[in-house]
Amino acid sequence: MPKPPEPGSSAPEFTLPGVLLDEDIAERRDYRLTEAKGNPLVLVFYPGDDTSVCTKQLCSYTSDLDRFKDLGATVWGISPQDLDSHERFARKHRLAFPLLADTDRAIARAYGIAVPGLGLRRSVFILDGDGTVRWKHVALAGLTFQHSDTLAAQLAALQG
């Protein structure tokens, strides 16, 4: 299994189906890593929709979305559930960034965070505008998550 990409290396390319809730309209489309180039991107890999820690994590990132946008960054969430599950999760918690469906865990494997039989490790990768990994955190247990302050500080460092 591949190791997670190290800071300074290119992030593995991917295309995944995703859903973005805008008010009450759910827009479904494919998300390609190449289309995010030009601005920083926060890739948030989370184990499951509507689970306790994942809900707290994604709700906190939604609450701080303007802070990320002010730093020029977008946020994408990625987990193994399908788009119907993602849409229910987004509607229930008013999540305001795209949730991408890695149902076969191919992208989790490409990023070196798949755990056979368990899913994936809670992880965050911050990419610069060229698609280069600038910061990463891969949790061992996944019972906690990286807070917005940490992510914002890493994004601010990209600008500095």
Side-chain angles (χ1 to χ4, degrees):
M1 181 165 95
K3 299 270 186 221
E6 291 297 325
S9 65
S10 292
E13 182 55 50
F14 65 82
T15 299
L16 286 173
V19 61
L20 174 60
L21 197 61
D22 184 12
E23 298 298 320
D24 281 332
I25 298 169
E27 177 193 333
R28 293 182 181 207
R29 67 176 181 91
D30 285 344
Y31 286 81
R32 292 172 180 77
L33 188 58
T34 55
E35 67 184 44
K37 289 194 176 167
N39 293 302
L41 177 64
V42 180
L43 290 179
V44 180
F45 288 88
Y46 66 99
D49 290 342
D50 223 12
T51 58
S52 177
V53 177
C54 296
T55 299
K56 287 178 192 167
Q57 179 182 20
L58 273 60
C59 285
S60 76
Y61 295 169
T62 290
S63 294
D64 286 332
L65 208 50
D66 284 341
R67 187 176 184 192
F68 296 134
K69 286 178 183 175
D70 288 346
L71 291 164
T74 55
V75 178
W76 291 356
I78 303 173
S79 78
Q81 292 74 43
D82 65 20
L83 291 182
D84 289 339
S85 176
H86 284 347
E87 185 175 337
R88 284 190 303 274
F89 184 40
R91 285 185 186 284
K92 182 174 180 181
H93 298 287
R94 310 307 292 162
L95 301 176
F97 53 85
L99 300 181
L100 283 53
D102 184 21
T103 55
D104 63 1
R105 296 177 179 81
I107 307 312
R109 284 192 299 279
Y111 278 75
I113 58 167
V115 180
L118 294 176
L120 59 84
R121 295 189 190 282
R122 184 180 312 282
S123 307
V124 177
F125 295 87
I126 294 180
L127 313 182
D128 66 15
D130 295 323
T132 301
V133 176
R134 292 296 168 198
W135 183 84
K136 71 172 183 175
H137 180 268
V138 179
L140 291 178
L143 301 176
T144 61
F145 59 89
Q146 293 299 300
H147 291 276
S148 296
D149 289 345
T150 302
L151 303 182
Q154 294 300 324
L155 289 166
L158 287 181
Q159 295 179 336

